[in-house]
Every structure is written in C-alpha cells, then in structure tokens.
C-alpha cells in the first residue's frame, strides 16, 4: 500500500518510534540495574538507579508546562547522554574504571548543553523570532550557558564532597587539576559546535548537530523561523 503522507509526516513517525525505542531501552537498562543493586542491598547505588527514572516525569512536566510539542531528536539526545554520563559513569563504574571516561562525558556535556541552550535563547528573546542577526549573540549566549553549567557542576561536586566526605573531585590525588580539566574539555566540546550554529544561520539548512533545534522551530510555530524567508 502506498504511503500518501508527506515527507515531514513520515519523518515525524520515524522519529517518534526511534524516541520511544531509546526511552524503552533506557528504562530497561536502569530498571535492571535497580533490581541488581536492590537485591545486593546496595542502598547507595539503588538510590542512584532510582534517580535515573526521574528523567521521565521531568520531561513530561517540562513539555506540559512549556506547552511545546515533543522534540524527538532532543529527547533522544537527552536519553543517550543520561545513559552515558549517569548510568555508564555512576551505576556501571565508568568514571572509576576508565580514566578517560570522565573527560569524554564532560566534553560531550559541553556539546549537549550548548545544543539545549539554543531553544532557551529564543524563550528569552522578545518576540521569539529567529533571525540572521541573532547569530553572533546566540553563539556567545549558548557558549556562556554551557560553561556556566560546567562551573555549577564543579561547585555541586565540591558541596557534595563536603557533605558526604566522598572525594568526587579527587582533590587528594590531583589537587585542582581534575576540576580544571573537566571544565577545559567541556570548553572543547562547546567550541566544536560553534561552526554548526554559524553554518545554520548563514545557510538556513541544518547539519547533524542543528537538527534538534530545527525540529524545535518547525514544530513550535511560536518561534518564527525567518532564516528561510530571506
């Protein structure tokens, strides 16, 4: 039977199914780990495993309160990043077992937060219109948000270390080097995505890294995309 839907409708269906598949995989992995640690009576890791499931109500509440349509590409990125940084790093011991794992996660966090900062910019902008003249300010804003989150993360680790006595920043063995390296690799990840924003605003055609933002604009007409009107 011939599919008479538009290309955008077919793409939306594929993205919806892909997002659901990733969400199910994320839930299955973390529920399995929750059961494993609960049976082992490991209260610390059981609590961490429960924390992974908070992502589902958080996303649901965000979309309800913001009245945005589901951005499937962003959801997929969020699930995959949480799986890498939280599940892989904390629950499966990636940070403790692999020296480079922590730095990889921090570098990708720079990319991840930079990408999520694009919609935030237009939530805050009066009129919410996407214009070519936004390009430079948008890039500075997204980079600043990414580095701000990196700094707040390190502050959070410092405060938790004081409260729990766990040396999360490895100060005893590395001094300030671990924290500084985390922020530096986050900067690398942030800088790596600057050209993607630049190309999108010059050409109006999204590359791989800007497709979640383009989907956000396409599905939420409140944020008028004037890049393709020129």
């Amino acid at each position: 039977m011939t599919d008479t839907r538009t290309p955008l409708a077919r793409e939306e269906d594929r993205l919806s199914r892909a997002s659901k598949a990733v969400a199910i995989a994320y839930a299955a992995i973390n529920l399995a780990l929750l059961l494993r640690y609960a049976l082992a009576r490991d209260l610390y890791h059981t609590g961490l495993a429960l924390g992974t499931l908070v992502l589902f109500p958080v996303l649901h509440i965000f979309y309800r309160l913001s009245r945005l349509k589901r951005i499937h590409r962003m959801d997929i990125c969020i699930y995959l990043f949480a799986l890498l940084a939280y599940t892989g790093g904390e629950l499966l011991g990636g940070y403790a077992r692999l020296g480079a794992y922590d730095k990889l996660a921090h570098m990708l966090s720079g990319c991840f937060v930079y990408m999520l900062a694009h919609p935030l910019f237009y939530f805050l902008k009066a009129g919410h219109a996407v214009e070519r003249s936004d390009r430079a300010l948008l890039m500075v804003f997204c980079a600043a948000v990414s580095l701000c989150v990196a700094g707040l993360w390190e502050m959070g680790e410092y405060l938790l270390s004081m409260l729990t006595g766990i040396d999360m920043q490895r100060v005893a063995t590395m001094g300030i080097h671990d924290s500084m390296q985390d922020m530096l690799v986050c900067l690398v990840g942030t800088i790596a995505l600057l050209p993607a924003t630049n190309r999108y605003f010059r050409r109006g055609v999204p590359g791989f890294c800007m497709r979640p933002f383009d989907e956000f604009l396409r599905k939420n007409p409140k944020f008028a995309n004037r890049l393709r009107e020129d």
Side-chain angles (χ1 to χ4, degrees):
M1 183 175 178
T2 305
D3 190 343
T4 59
R5 295 176 299 172
T6 65
L8 283 177
R10 290 195 294 270
E11 180 186 28
E12 174 67 12
D13 183 55
R14 288 195 298 271
L15 288 172
S16 177
R17 284 188 277 111
S19 178
K20 288 176 182 176
V22 173
I24 290 169
Y26 175 85
I29 292 169
N30 287 301
L31 284 170
L33 289 170
L34 173 61
L35 180 62
R36 169 191 169 187
Y37 287 122
L39 291 174
R41 297 183 180 179
D42 183 338
L43 295 180
Y44 176 73
H45 285 95
T46 299
L48 289 178
L50 280 171
T52 64
L53 304 178
V54 173
L55 184 57
F56 293 106
V58 166
L59 282 175
H60 176 73
I61 291 168
F62 168 76
Y63 280 113
R64 287 292 299 273
L65 292 179
S66 65
R67 297 182 181 179
L68 293 174
K69 292 184 178 179
R70 278 273 177 179
I71 315 302
H72 299 303
R73 284 191 174 93
M74 284 189 178
D75 286 357
I76 290 170
C77 290
I78 290 168
Y79 290 129
L80 292 179
F81 181 76
L83 196 62
L84 171 78
Y86 196 157
T87 305
E90 295 290 351
L91 293 177
L92 295 176
Y95 296 138
R97 297 173 184 172
L98 302 172
Y101 196 97
D102 179 54
K103 298 300 174 276
L104 173 64
H106 278 281
M107 184 176 68
L108 291 177
S109 76
C111 301
F112 177 67
V113 176
Y114 177 87
M115 180 187 71
L116 292 182
H118 285 71
L120 175 61
F121 180 88
Y122 287 101
F123 267 109
L124 299 175
K125 183 187 175 185
H128 311 296
V130 181
E131 301 168 302
R132 293 193 189 280
S133 57
D134 298 334
R135 179 174 56 93
L137 181 59
L138 174 65
M139 291 166 70
V140 171
F141 175 85
C142 293
V145 169
S146 179
L147 294 177
C148 177
V149 170
L152 290 173
W153 181 269
E154 295 302 321
M155 292 180 197
E157 284 191 341
Y158 174 74
L159 291 174
L160 285 173
S161 295
M162 293 180 65
L163 291 172
T164 64
I166 301 172
D167 189 4
M168 298 179 178
Q169 296 173 305
R170 294 184 284 182
V171 175
T173 56
M174 296 188 66
I176 66 168
H177 297 298
D178 183 64
S179 294
M180 294 306 299
Q181 289 169 11
D182 288 347
M183 288 188 283
L184 285 170
V185 294
C186 176
L187 175 61
V188 170
T190 300
I191 291 173
L193 261 63
L194 290 173
T197 302
N198 183 54
R199 285 193 300 270
Y200 181 65
F201 274 75
R202 285 186 178 279
R203 302 174 187 174
V205 179
F208 177 78
C209 296
M210 293 297 290
R211 284 180 183 171
F213 178 60
D214 191 66
E215 182 187 351
F216 162 79
L217 296 178
R218 176 170 53 81
K219 294 173 70 174
N220 295 283
K222 170 185 175 181
F223 302 88
N225 188 351
R226 295 177 180 165
L227 299 181
R228 293 167 186 170
E229 297 174 2
D230 299 345

